[in-house]
Amino acid sequence: MSHIPSRSRTASRSGTPTPSRSQTPSRFRAPVLRATNSVSSLHVQLSAQGHVPPVPDFRSESHIPSVFNNDTDDGILVPEAEADVDTTDGDVIGVRAGEVGDENSKKALRDQLRKTLSRKESFPAGTPTRRRRVANPSEDVHELRQELSFPQRQYFILTDAGKPVFASRVEDRDSDNLASIMGIMQAIISVFLDDGDKLRCVNAGKMRITFLLRSPLYYVCVSSWGEPESVTRTHLEYLHQQVLSVVTGIQLRKLFERRGNFDLGRLLTGAESLVYSLLDKIELDMAMITSSLRCLKLDASLRRKAASALIPAVKTKDLLYVILVAHGNIITLARPRRHSIHPSDLHILLNTIYSPSIVKSSASASWLPICLPKFNQSGFVNAFISFLSPEEHPTIMSLPPEIPFANDETAQSVPSTPKPEGVSLMSMPSLDLGLICVGGGSDFESLHSWADAIIQRLSDEGTVTSIRQSILAGAIEYSCSGLGIPGLRHFIYKSRSHVQITSPIFEDPYEDLHERRRLITLYQILHDNIHAKSGQDLPLKLQYIRTDREGVLGWITQPFEMYIAVSPRLPKSATIGAANAVARWVKKEEASLFLRDAPVF
Amino acid sequence: MAEAASGSADKSVQVKLVLLGEAAVGKSSVVLRFVANEFQANKEPTIGAAFLTQKCRLEDRVLRYEIWDTAGQERFHSLAPMYYRNAQAAVVVYDITKAASLEKAKTWVKELQRQANPNIVIALAGNKLDLVQPSPSASGGSAESEDEADDATATPGEEPSSGEAAESLRQVPREEAQAYAQEAGLLFFETSAKTGEGVVEVFTEIAKRIPIEHILASSRGGAGRPGAGSGRTDGAQGGVNLQENQAKGKDACNC
């Protein structure tokens, strides 16, 4: 039970110049070599099949660090600099917190803390680490094998004056302790700030407390899941983005400049649900962790047809993005020329519009100001959102005849029947299809009529019906077993040029939430090691981890990165074979899995 | 009347209406009751603003309400002018179990009277009437009966158990609000989005007050149908026919 991980880790880290590498038995190199072989055979096959993607030079995969600057200048999505979360907080240094309030008692607390902290320097559990080294990464895996519970993570937002803004757990929020917990957090953070340093995390046994300083706000996550630090840091970064989407960065700064102990919690009232759904989503969403997008799997020609309807007829300089969504995912989008979208902005936007008060609303349209922080932190754009109600297209569903047409625009001419009581829109299957127009202007009327025209065109051309039929037929998802790759249980494939991921539905044993959490955490460990996101010396090309329940492999090449889960009994060579087979399959299905071209205007 | 169905598209009068009021007083629930005749317990707070439409008939005229249901949170306050700027009607909602919400309503009324269209018709609606009514069974066995167990919007844990306890939840006496409404020149109603009580009346009375001919003249540049105004006085019984409670399944109006 315990002998496996360390061996496999050694093998997988064969590219790392560590002492252990030199002792690596040559038989562990075999899979790596074989991988290279099979990859080049993949290369050959692709050319033979007549695919025309810019043929990547697979031999260059040893220069992994350089591919981060992959040239995708005019892509739909902005590929995130992999070290983003580690570098963007530079401006926080030097911000002195704790100027407000009882300075003397705070100073006393700080001095006390400083003494305590330095005295416990040699005690690992209590030592806050600034740059955590994964010197012994198998510890994580070991814990993951032992740990059978994934206790709810706790998230806190506080101001740099120590005032509570948000606590994810209800019991924390109601507790009288919250203010003092926040005060202690603020004090600990400020001890480091005083020294011109920044606290990144505290490891306490299995528990890790991660801090993200985005003055005037501090974000804190408490987790015992055994995930890499970079994961919880990313969570906190998204949390920050979501807060900024509600109050812009500028607004935030001004509010706190005016009054250091401003009660931001009150201003955020009503936005808690957005934060909750975000935290819910990020738990298992690898697209968010890998800074990429997941689009709806759809027939390429249908996607293209939908896209062509989104292009504005007249040039509108106020228009930013036009996005068509269904089932929580993006179908296609139109954007201004030479203007890529940052995936995290899209995640924030999607999380916001899929809030129940919008997607489940009986309104024909919603209109909200939203700040897309990566696009522009200092101001709001306006989002027009219209979800087509399923009953507009009764032909594809056996609806009871009395379903009303009363409130939609397109059915105006149809003699409508009164809405019977008790028939709820919520009881419809999830056929949501939404159009989002994001623009700088505040002219709702013109956007509204224009959006109506798009929806009309999508309906007239049968696009709406086709998309809904795809959803009903289950064509927007696929199962791993359908790929027919022996031993393969699940995978996540990220196309690095498209900045998008694809993955099959979770099947047994990962239908179980607990197992799914475990698997995602394993993927996250792979992702972290492959990109050296938590202070590892070097990124990896390939990593294989075996637990009692599965083997997982992370693999990065120039065109893709891939995380696969296989049966633990599958030999490593077969695992590599499965990874290659996945790559081939994705290449073949690429057109329907990814949003490859989207119109520009 | 007879030609209303055939020519509704060109005859319908568009009336822009905005709902304003403090957060969690039930603005969205009032609209949902009016537009879909539904009630949802524990509704999520509105984000930004929602746009809804509902057609209704007043005499031989079809009105098409274009409703802006705004979010009540403070941070959205600055957006309100965009919604009431061109509105012909406003419904300012407060919660009769929360005195502070009437104060907020008064500031909205002031803002509207100062900055909105001078002819705007303003209605004041005290919502959550169900919370102060003696017994839920009195509200009748509507289709919403399964919701009766739930509490009304954003007022958890205050389910009235008896008549006296219920009435004690009331923080805004009807007379007080009515007096204020009269003084400020507002239409006044007490409503329950949950039971539906009073909701349609709000929109019906607004419809009667709207200077339809004026809207027609300004928006289309054409003459309105003569004689439409004459029916306004007796429009109360059967004029606006929005609710199908009584005439279930029957095509009572063109909504």
Side-chain angles (χ1 to χ4, degrees):
Chain A
M1 175 171 156
S2 58
H3 68 285
I4 302 159
S6 56
R7 273 168 77 199
S8 51
R9 295 289 298 218
T10 316
S12 59
R13 289 179 66 92
S14 58
T16 314
T18 57
S20 63
R21 183 187 58 116
S22 55
Q23 295 155 10
T24 307
S26 60
R27 63 196 154 104
F28 287 126
R29 289 182 178 280
V32 183
L33 289 173
R34 214 170 296 154
T36 317
N37 284 339
S38 11
V39 166
S40 31
S41 73
L42 162 68
H43 177 173
V44 171
Q45 278 191 7
L46 287 174
S47 312
Q49 282 170 8
H51 284 266
V52 283
V55 181
D57 184 4
F58 288 98
R59 283 163 302 177
S60 71
E61 70 172 87
S62 53
H63 311 294
I64 289 307
S66 69
V67 302
F68 294 152
N69 308 320
N70 212 356
D71 182 32
T72 51
D73 51 352
D74 204 16
I76 301 162
L77 298 164
V78 183
E80 183 151 20
E82 296 292 352
D84 193 32
V85 284
D86 290 336
T87 55
T88 51
D89 49 358
D91 56 336
V92 183
I93 294 185
V95 172
R96 281 280 307 254
E99 302 292 352
V100 196
D102 187 357
E103 193 57 38
N104 284 337
S105 65
K106 286 208 170 166
K107 190 172 180 304
L109 174 62
R110 233 180 285 167
D111 290 344
Q112 174 63 28
L113 271 169
R114 189 172 286 131
K115 265 186 275 168
T116 329
L117 289 169
S118 55
R119 218 187 303 144
K120 287 190 175 173
E121 209 159 32
S122 58
F123 182 57
T127 309
T129 46
R130 266 148 271 153
R131 197 87 184 151
R132 185 176 171 273
R133 291 190 171 268
V134 189
N136 183 10
S138 59
E139 211 175 83
D140 294 336
V141 186
H142 186 70
E143 272 176 25
L144 218 72
R145 286 146 45 84
Q146 303 291 316
E147 183 60 69
L148 285 175
S149 72
F150 292 93
Q152 200 186 8
R153 291 181 176 118
Q154 285 168 269
Y155 297 87
F156 300 94
I157 307 177
L158 61 153
T159 71
D160 57 11
K163 205 176 175 92
V165 176
F166 171 81
S168 62
R169 286 201 319 195
V170 181
E171 54 265 43
D172 290 332
R173 228 175 318 151
D174 295 342
S175 129
D176 295 338
N177 284 333
L178 182 61
S180 53
I181 293 174
M182 298 277 193
I184 291 170
M185 287 176 177
Q186 189 269 344
I188 294 176
I189 292 168
S190 71
V191 165
F192 287 85
L193 283 180
D194 286 350
D195 298 342
D197 204 346
K198 265 186 301 174
L199 176 64
R200 291 174 64 98
C201 70
V202 174
N203 295 315
K206 280 181 186 169
M207 180 187 286
R208 179 183 295 124
I209 310 168
T210 313
F211 298 87
L212 181 74
L213 314 188
R214 290 287 180 269
S215 208
L217 296 180
Y218 296 159
Y219 298 82
V220 183
C221 172
V222 181
S223 169
S224 337
W225 287 30
E227 75 288 85
E229 184 212 332
S230 67
V231 172
T232 42
R233 188 163 294 281
T234 305
H235 288 193
L236 296 177
E237 190 65 62
Y238 271 105
L239 204 52
H240 179 55
Q241 305 288 316
Q242 187 74 58
V243 169
L244 288 182
S245 78
V246 178
V247 281
T248 66
I250 296 249
Q251 217 180 325
L252 201 59
R253 218 182 52 225
K254 279 185 184 158
L255 287 170
F256 281 92
E257 270 169 12
R258 222 175 295 149
R259 210 145 41 97
N261 63 345
F262 179 78
D263 185 1
L264 185 66
R266 211 166 62 91
L267 190 71
L268 293 177
T269 310
E272 299 95 337
S273 61
L274 297 178
V275 174
Y276 280 118
S277 62
L278 181 88
L279 294 178
D280 224 35
K281 200 166 171 233
I282 203 169
E283 188 181 296
L284 295 172
D285 191 332
M286 280 298 281
M288 293 174 88
I289 293 297
T290 57
S291 297
S292 51
L293 181 73
R294 180 199 298 274
C295 75
L296 195 79
K297 177 176 179 282
L298 204 65
D299 178 68
S301 60
L302 185 54
R303 201 194 300 279
R304 212 170 302 125
K305 197 164 137 193
S308 63
L310 301 186
I311 308 169
V314 282
K315 196 139 180 96
T316 33
K317 64 173 175 4
D318 270 349
L319 200 63
L320 198 54
Y321 313 123
V322 189
I323 307 169
L324 191 65
V325 296
H327 227 259
N329 290 313
I330 287 180
I331 294 175
T332 186
L333 53 87
R335 66 195 164 95
R337 188 177 305 281
R338 259 179 278 145
H339 185 93
S340 306
I341 310 180
H342 204 286
S344 83
D345 278 350
L346 279 177
H347 286 299
I348 295 297
L349 185 64
L350 282 178
N351 181 56
T352 305
I353 67 154
Y354 271 94
S355 135
S357 75
I358 293 180
V359 70
K360 287 188 176 169
S361 158
S362 8
S364 65
S366 293
W367 176 256
L368 75 139
I370 183 170
C371 169
L372 298 176
K374 299 273 165 140
F375 167 69
N376 183 354
Q377 237 204 54
S378 59
F380 286 111
V381 290
N382 286 307
F384 168 93
I385 304 136
S386 181
F387 276 96
L388 286 71
S389 45
E391 60 268 60
E392 276 178 42
H393 302 276
T395 44
I396 56 163
M397 290 164 53
S398 51
L399 291 177
E402 69 269 26
I403 289 299
F405 291 85
N407 299 307
D408 61 68
E409 304 292 327
T410 52
Q412 250 185 31
S413 53
V414 183
S416 52
T417 42
K419 192 161 270 205
E421 276 192 74
V423 174
S424 163
L425 296 178
M426 310 313 134
S427 62
M428 298 299 164
S430 164
L431 283 174
D432 64 84
L433 185 64
L435 180 70
I436 308 154
C437 306
V438 181
S442 60
D443 184 4
F444 172 81
E445 291 300 333
S446 63
L447 258 186
H448 191 192
S449 54
W450 178 61
D452 278 348
I454 292 180
I455 292 170
Q456 190 65 50
R457 180 171 166 192
L458 289 170
S459 306
D460 291 348
E461 293 179 344
T463 313
V464 172
T465 311
S466 306
I467 290 171
R468 290 209 162 123
Q469 272 163 351
S470 301
I471 296 173
L472 287 174
I476 56 162
E477 291 171 334
Y478 58 97
S479 68
C480 201
S481 46
L483 271 66
I485 301 171
L488 183 70
R489 291 178 176 177
H490 189 261
F491 67 86
I492 288 172
Y493 177 104
K494 176 177 174 180
S495 163
R496 303 181 72 199
S497 57
H498 296 120
V499 202
Q500 289 169 47
I501 66 162
T502 180
S503 61
I505 53 168
F506 286 102
E507 289 170 285
D508 187 57
Y510 303 113
E511 280 170 333
D512 178 60
L513 178 62
H514 177 266
E515 289 298 298
R516 216 178 305 160
R517 284 173 167 168
R518 215 171 44 78
L519 178 65
I520 291 293
T521 308
L522 282 169
Y523 284 159
Q524 287 168 341
I525 290 170
L526 295 172
H527 178 257
D528 183 76
N529 285 333
I530 276 177
H531 292 285
K533 285 176 89 83
S534 293
Q536 297 92 330
D537 294 330
L538 274 176
L540 304 177
K541 277 196 295 195
L542 191 73
Q543 183 178 28
Y544 177 75
I545 300 174
R546 189 152 68 192
T547 70
D548 292 343
R549 321 245 184 98
E550 68 272 289
V552 288
L553 175 81
W555 180 25
I556 188 166
T557 72
Q558 176 116 19
F560 62 79
E561 57 187 84
M562 192 196 305
Y563 308 90
I564 69 170
V566 294
S567 152
R569 286 189 299 277
L570 199 69
K572 272 182 220 139
S573 57
T575 305
I576 297 291
N580 278 308
V582 168
R584 275 195 299 275
W585 182 84
V586 171
K587 201 78 196 160
K588 188 159 65 70
E589 299 291 325
E590 197 182 55
S592 69
L593 296 174
F594 299 124
L595 173 59
R596 290 197 301 182
D597 43 9
V600 292
F601 52 83
Chain B
M1 278 283 214
E3 73 273 37
S6 57
S8 63
D10 48 293
K11 257 173 74 269
S12 73
V13 182
Q14 297 199 353
V15 178
K16 290 189 202 312
L17 182 147
V18 61
L19 272 98
L20 298 166
E22 198 179 66
V25 295
K27 295 179 292 298
S28 300
S29 295
V30 167
V31 180
L32 188 64
R33 172 61 74 187
F34 174 60
V35 166
N37 198 16
E38 280 176 29
F39 178 76
Q40 292 166 18
N42 304 315
K43 218 166 163 1
E44 292 274 338
T46 305
I47 302 172
F51 180 78
L52 302 92
T53 59
Q54 173 69 301
K55 276 190 271 182
C56 66
R57 181 181 297 176
L58 176 70
E59 290 300 293
D60 56 348
R61 186 74 72 195
V62 176
L63 262 71
R64 184 166 177 275
Y65 274 117
E66 297 191 342
I67 302 167
W68 274 116
D69 172 24
T70 65
Q73 278 79 28
E74 207 178 289
R75 65 175 186 277
F76 294 114
H77 190 128
S78 58
L79 299 167
M82 185 193 130
Y83 305 115
Y84 64 64
R85 196 178 297 133
N86 298 314
Q88 283 102 24
V91 179
V92 180
V93 185
Y94 69 96
D95 174 354
I96 58 172
T97 67
K98 205 174 159 209
S101 69
L102 178 64
E103 294 313 307
K104 181 70 193 172
K106 288 178 180 175
T107 67
W108 277 121
V109 170
K110 248 182 244 163
E111 180 169 339
L112 286 170
Q113 289 178 334
R114 207 173 48 239
Q115 296 183 36
N117 173 355
N119 297 321
I120 192 167
V121 178
I122 306 174
L124 181 69
N127 193 33
K128 305 197 188 178
L129 191 55
D130 52 284
L131 288 181
V132 303
Q133 277 166 346
S135 157
S137 61
S139 61
S142 71
E144 270 68 46
S145 54
E146 71 269 25
D147 287 331
E148 300 290 358
D150 297 309
D151 212 341
T153 314
T155 319
E158 292 178 14
E159 187 70 22
S161 51
S162 70
E164 304 83 64
E167 191 54 39
S168 71
L169 283 173
R170 183 189 274 274
Q171 287 189 6
V172 180
R174 185 188 173 94
E175 299 71 30
E176 180 196 324
Q178 195 156 25
Y180 158 71
Q182 199 157 18
E183 188 190 327
L186 320 172
L187 296 167
F188 175 73
F189 306 89
E190 283 196 341
T191 59
S192 165
K194 188 171 175 179
T195 65
E197 186 176 348
V199 172
V200 177
E201 286 78 358
V202 175
F203 295 88
T204 313
E205 292 301 314
I206 288 174
K208 288 190 217 159
R209 291 272 197 104
I210 294 283
I212 292 176
E213 300 307 325
H214 185 252
I215 295 171
L216 277 180
S218 61
S219 65
R220 282 159 212 268
R225 278 173 51 84
S230 65
R232 280 182 206 163
T233 44
D234 62 346
Q237 33 95 270
V240 177
N241 208 344
L242 308 160
Q243 201 87 325
E244 294 80 38
N245 285 352
Q246 295 85 7
K248 207 171 263 183
K250 196 168 148 270
D251 201 349
C253 88
N254 230 11
C255 303

